[in-house]
Amino acid sequence: MRLPSLRVRLIMVMAIGMVLGLALVTANSVRLIDDAVAKSDSEQRMQLRKALVRLSGAPLFQRDAATLRGILSEVAGTGNLVYASVRDRDGNEIASVASEDYTFDSSGDSPDGAVYSTTTETISLSNVPVGSITLVFSDANRTQARRTLLHQNIVLGVAVVLVGFTILAFVIAYITRRMVDLRKRISAVAAGDFGIRLPINRSDGELATTAQAVNRMLDGIQEAEGRLRASEARYRTLAEFAPVGITQISPDAPTFTNRRWRELSGIANVPDGSAKWTAFIHPEDRQEILDGWTRAVAQKTPYGPLEFRYLHGDGRLIWVQAQATVQTDEDGSIVGFVGTLTDITERKRVEEELRASEARLRAVTNALPDVLVVVGEDGTLLDVLRIPNELQLPSGPPPRGTDIAAFLPLDFAADAMAAIRKAIRTGRNQTVTTELEVAAGKRFFEARLAPIHTAKGEPPAVVLLSRDLTERRSAEQALRDSEAYLRAVLLGQVAG
């Protein structure tokens, strides 16, 4: 059931109050008038009875009807007296008088509805009863007073009602204006306008206190909203000029993209949200990326990082790295993703060139007949680039991370460590020679050590190139022997 409006309730309350007040005033006035009239009638009737009893004694005893009628006629109409009669002690009427408006039937009731009161007094002469006098009084004065009061109260009530409703109209207009203004302000606040403030009237009491509390709350909200807007502005500025592409993605299309993202996609003139982000993926990479995206959406997990080719708006092919994190609402439902897009084209080019360079270096290394390894300053074998099968140690190829003293003769390992430290210290190449037992037998090696310019923070190291000089050394020895032999032969011929 719908309750009446505040205005209707105020009118109802005030109308009921005025009616009740008027009724109480009328009832109290009637009671006061009745009391006053009753007191006045009682006093007048008492005096009138005493006077008539005193005056009627002798004439009644003498049965002087003319005198009795004269006495009764003189007091008729006095003190609401409308009828008087004198009777002897046997009850016979001797004289009576009645006012013109006094009428009643045999039952004692008045046809015109007037109210009468009758009293009978005994008349004595020298303490001897000689008859009685009957007096009938009318309550017309009291009735008339009541009617007059009722009329006055009706006029007064109408005046009070008119004045009350006039005052109520002004009060309602004031309250209504305040309420309409308050409703408008509250509606504006509900719509998000936190700059609105509720009016404060100190005479409103608790309402003013409530308005003050609401205004303080709105001050806090407005301050927080200002900080939020400033934070959002800073975020958008940072996002707009970030060196990586940033986008906010709904399940289908971007809803926000920064400058770098638009540069990478080549859609600088296309509004946010107007194109599917997957439309720019290379056709050969698209299905794999879409499958990963579908899994991320279904499982509500972060997406990427993934690397794939991107078709720029101007037709260029670029490499990008993409990753995204999930955005959910209060119910845990996915509302989108916030993702980044990084141009890795240059890195891919460098990686490709590095792979090509490493391939060329590996080809050159494999073509060498020598041992080629990388050794750290502490003698740790960091990398094995090349060891021909015929030059393998009897124990097999040494694993990376092994100390050279673990697989080389101690005297050669000591010489090699001295040469490594000197090469690192001086920055110049060093050379050491030794004989080692390898798969091809006992061979003579010359090891050359060149320092490597490592990155800052990395431990120093050297490249050790060990060449098998056994054949050359044998050839040199044979040449020396041949020269000695020829020299001896020539000297012998000369001497002969």
Side-chain angles (χ1 to χ4, degrees), residues 241-297:
F241 295 98
V244 298
I246 300 175
T247 180
Q248 188 174 26
I249 310 171
S250 70
D252 294 323
T255 56
F256 165 78
T257 56
N258 72 336
R259 176 183 56 82
R260 183 56 177 160
W261 191 93
R262 295 190 293 272
E263 289 175 353
L264 292 176
S265 63
I267 59 168
N269 297 323
V270 178
D272 292 343
S274 62
K276 282 182 173 290
W277 65 276
T278 55
F280 309 106
I281 301 176
H282 192 282
E284 295 180 3
D285 300 337
R286 187 174 299 153
Q287 191 58 48
E288 179 183 355
I289 301 303
L290 284 176
D291 291 343
W293 176 257
T294 303
R295 286 193 301 271
V297 172

Side-chain angles (χ1 to χ4, degrees), residues 68 81 106 115 120 158-159 184 194 279 348 366 393 409 466 473:
L68 290 173
L81 180 65
S106 58
V115 178
T120 300
V158 171
K184 288 181 179 179
F194 298 116
K348 284 289 186 180
N366 290 336
L393 296 172
S466 181
R473 187 176 183 187

Side-chain angles (χ1 to χ4, degrees), residues 38-54:
K39 183 177 180 180
S40 176
D41 285 352
S42 178
E43 292 176 352
Q44 290 180 4
R45 291 174 187 180
M46 181 66 66
Q47 293 175 0
L48 185 61
R49 286 199 303 272
K50 289 180 180 180
L52 289 175
V53 169
R54 186 177 66 254

Side-chain angles (χ1 to χ4, degrees), residues 64-367:
D64 185 356
T67 301
L68 290 173
R69 188 176 297 108
I71 295 172
L72 295 178
S73 299
E74 290 179 1
V75 298
T78 303
N80 298 327
L81 180 65
V82 294
Y83 176 79
S85 70
V86 177
R87 297 176 185 273
D88 60 17
R89 59 184 177 185
D90 294 329
N92 300 314
E93 184 179 277
I94 297 175
S96 67
V97 293
S99 64
E100 295 179 355
D101 56 351
Y102 173 68
T103 57
F104 65 94
D105 55 22
S106 58
S107 63
D109 296 329
S110 174
D112 59 359
V115 178
Y116 300 101
S117 59
T118 302
T119 180
T120 300
E121 296 286 343
T122 301
I123 301 175
S124 299
L125 187 62
S126 300
N127 294 327
V128 176
V130 293
S132 65
I133 185 170
T134 300
L135 303 176
V136 177
F137 296 93
S138 172
D139 290 338
N141 289 344
R142 184 183 303 180
T143 303
Q144 182 62 34
R146 288 180 176 178
R147 289 176 181 174
T148 303
L149 178 63
L150 180 59
H151 292 162
Q152 291 176 348
N153 283 343
I154 290 174
V155 173
L156 178 62
V158 171
V160 169
V161 169
L162 291 177
V163 173
F165 275 104
T166 301
I167 296 174
L168 181 61
F170 281 106
V171 171
I172 290 175
Y174 174 75
I175 295 176
T176 302
R177 186 171 64 252
R178 294 282 306 279
M179 294 300 292
V180 169
D181 180 64
L182 185 62
R183 189 183 302 115
K184 288 181 179 179
R185 292 172 184 267
I186 292 176
S187 299
V189 171
D193 185 1
F194 298 116
I196 296 293
R197 292 295 179 271
L198 303 184
I200 299 176
N201 190 336
R202 299 296 179 184
S203 62
D204 290 342
E206 294 183 0
L207 183 59
T209 303
T210 303
Q212 286 180 330
V214 172
N215 288 343
R216 285 195 296 269
M217 180 186 68
L218 292 175
D219 290 340
I221 293 176
Q222 191 173 24
E223 182 180 354
E225 189 181 44
R227 291 196 299 267
L228 178 61
R229 283 196 297 267
S231 176
E232 289 178 347
R234 288 193 296 270
Y235 167 77
R236 284 190 173 271
T237 301
L238 291 173
E240 185 65 19
F241 295 98
V244 298
I246 300 175
T247 180
Q248 188 174 26
I249 310 171
S250 70
D252 294 323
T255 56
F256 165 78
T257 56
N258 72 336
R259 176 183 56 82
R260 183 56 177 160
W261 191 93
R262 295 190 293 272
E263 289 175 353
L264 292 176
S265 63
I267 59 168
N269 297 323
V270 178
D272 292 343
S274 62
K276 282 182 173 290
W277 65 276
T278 55
F280 309 106
I281 301 176
H282 192 282
E284 295 180 3
D285 300 337
R286 187 174 299 153
Q287 191 58 48
E288 179 183 355
I289 301 303
L290 284 176
D291 291 343
W293 176 257
T294 303
R295 286 193 301 271
V297 172
Q299 299 172 4
K300 300 180 181 180
T301 56
Y303 175 72
L306 294 176
E307 297 178 358
F308 52 88
R309 290 167 290 179
Y310 220 51
L311 295 174
H312 194 273
D314 61 5
R316 289 184 294 114
L317 183 67
I318 61 175
W319 277 91
V320 295
Q321 183 185 70
Q323 55 186 357
T325 185
V326 181
Q327 275 190 315
T328 58
D329 58 17
E330 295 179 354
D331 298 328
S333 301
I334 291 181
V335 296
F337 286 78
V338 174
T340 60
L341 197 68
T342 306
D343 185 1
I344 59 171
T345 305
E346 182 64 19
R347 194 194 80 189
K348 284 289 186 180
R349 185 189 65 78
V350 172
E351 289 177 352
E352 187 62 31
E353 291 180 357
L354 181 60
R355 281 194 294 270
S357 176
E358 289 177 348
R360 290 193 296 270
L361 179 61
R362 183 65 61 185
V364 171
T365 301
N366 290 336

